[in-house]
Amino acid sequence: MIVQRVVLNSRPGKNGVPVAENFRLEQSTISDTIQAGQVRVRTMYLSVDPYMRCRMNEDTGSDYLVPWQLSEVADGGGIGVVEESKHDNLAKGDFVTSFNWPWQTVAILDGSLLQKLVPQLVHGRLSYFLGAAGITGLTALLGIKEKGHVTVGANQTMVVSGAAGACGSLAGQIGRLEGCSRVVGIAGTDEKCSILVKEMGFDAAINYKKGDVAEQLRELCPGGVDVYFDNVGGDISDTVISQMNQNSHIILCGQISQYNKDVPYPPPLPPDIEKIRKERNITRERFLVLNYMDKQEASVLQLCQWIQEGKLKVRETVVEGLANVGAAFQSMMNGGNIGKQIVSVSK
């Protein structure tokens, strides 16, 4: 059977900025028959995420991320429909997902590595299982629960950087749902800031490309910052940390501003900021959602309930066609999208 697939065409280099041409669309073949325990699936949706920048390097810098190989098919979060099954628990027509879904139109996969989806949990919006009801939502929810130390009634202020992105846009809303009394987002355009406040319930949002971020933070967080959901690192994070309170908490989710740089993860803070962190006893611990998979099922159900109740607003940037996955990745890394970046392969 002839299929289309996307392979890693070239590496941007450890300090390089990724471009669409780093990926290549090509034809390939898969077997016409499947073996016991396998299923043939047609790809519907693929997730494009910032962490994938690390997988473009020969060394990902992480012990849990495997690098993509040149001229080999890329992979990541994906959703598809079963077209043929020789696995006891999966049948033709089932919707399934995997964290290691190959970027190709049709694939033969080990059925035991797939998770069956229940579309009704997200009003039939299957792509939500790659975002708000998937690993992205789990990262936001478990990050806040495990590292944020949010307490109902404690009058805590949360700041979210990269707040219009897939994880940040959910984290701010979840922070409020978990008990924060004030939530302030940081994003890169006036449009994004407006969406955060008017649609997603943030109290305020700062366009970091306009004006003095430190001054705006002091004005919008007069009592200081108690919880910081950090998606970006770099200068913005240094500015936020300098205004954090005694015994406050950093949720170290991502460092997208550092992904094109050859630095360790998590990147060390500048000496003056590290001094502040230590003096104020601010926690900044590496957070990996995969370490909390025992809480996955209950957490996904909580996320789905909030979505059904309209308490969790979801934004997606959807790009049509497998051929455009490279352009979608480039756009996301340049901060061009709002919410989760999804590639729709087929419906």
Side-chain angles (χ1 to χ4, degrees), residues 76-80 96-102 109 113-115 117 130:
I79 289 172
V96 291
T97 186
S98 168
F99 194 59
N100 300 108
W101 196 283
L109 303 176
L113 302 179
L114 299 173
Q115 180 182 354
L117 300 175
L130 294 178

Side-chain angles (χ1 to χ4, degrees), residues 58 60 78 122 133 135 216 226 246 257 265 277 309 329-330 347:
E58 288 185 77
T60 66
V122 289
I135 199 75
Q216 293 178 76
D226 302 295
Q246 193 75 24
S257 73
Y265 186 87
R277 189 196 69 77
E309 293 172 350
F329 187 83
Q330 179 179 339
K347 295 180 179 178

Side-chain angles (χ1 to χ4, degrees), residues 125-267:
R125 297 291 297 270
L126 282 169
S127 58
Y128 282 12
F129 284 114
L130 294 178
I135 199 75
T136 310
L138 286 171
T139 300
L141 176 58
L142 291 171
I144 289 168
K145 279 185 168 293
E146 300 297 328
K147 300 295 184 181
H149 302 277
V150 174
T151 305
V152 176
N155 197 33
Q156 291 166 298
T157 294
M158 171 186 278
V159 171
V160 183
S161 59
C167 200
S169 60
L170 299 171
Q173 298 178 75
I174 291 170
R176 171 63 53 73
L177 289 166
E178 287 293 304
C180 286
S181 59
R182 185 165 182 78
V183 179
V184 176
I186 302 174
T189 69
D190 288 343
E191 178 194 10
K192 290 178 179 179
C193 289
S194 177
I195 288 170
L196 290 174
V197 174
K198 294 179 180 178
E199 184 177 315
M200 298 185 172
F202 284 61
D203 293 284
I206 296 169
N207 181 348
Y208 70 86
K209 295 180 180 178
K210 285 187 175 180
D212 187 319
V213 174
E215 185 178 319
Q216 293 178 76
L217 268 176
R218 280 190 290 270
E219 179 182 334
L220 295 172
C221 307
V225 179
D226 302 295
V227 184
Y228 173 39
F229 199 99
D230 185 6
N231 285 302
V232 302
D235 292 342
I236 289 175
S237 289
D238 296 345
T239 301
V240 176
I241 294 169
S242 68
Q243 297 190 32
M244 294 187 73
N245 293 325
Q246 193 75 24
N247 302 318
S248 54
H249 305 283
I250 299 168
I251 302 165
L252 193 58
C253 178
Q255 302 281 278
I256 193 170
S257 73
Q258 308 298 300
Y259 285 167
N260 293 328
K261 301 176 183 178
D262 185 14
V263 294
Y265 186 87

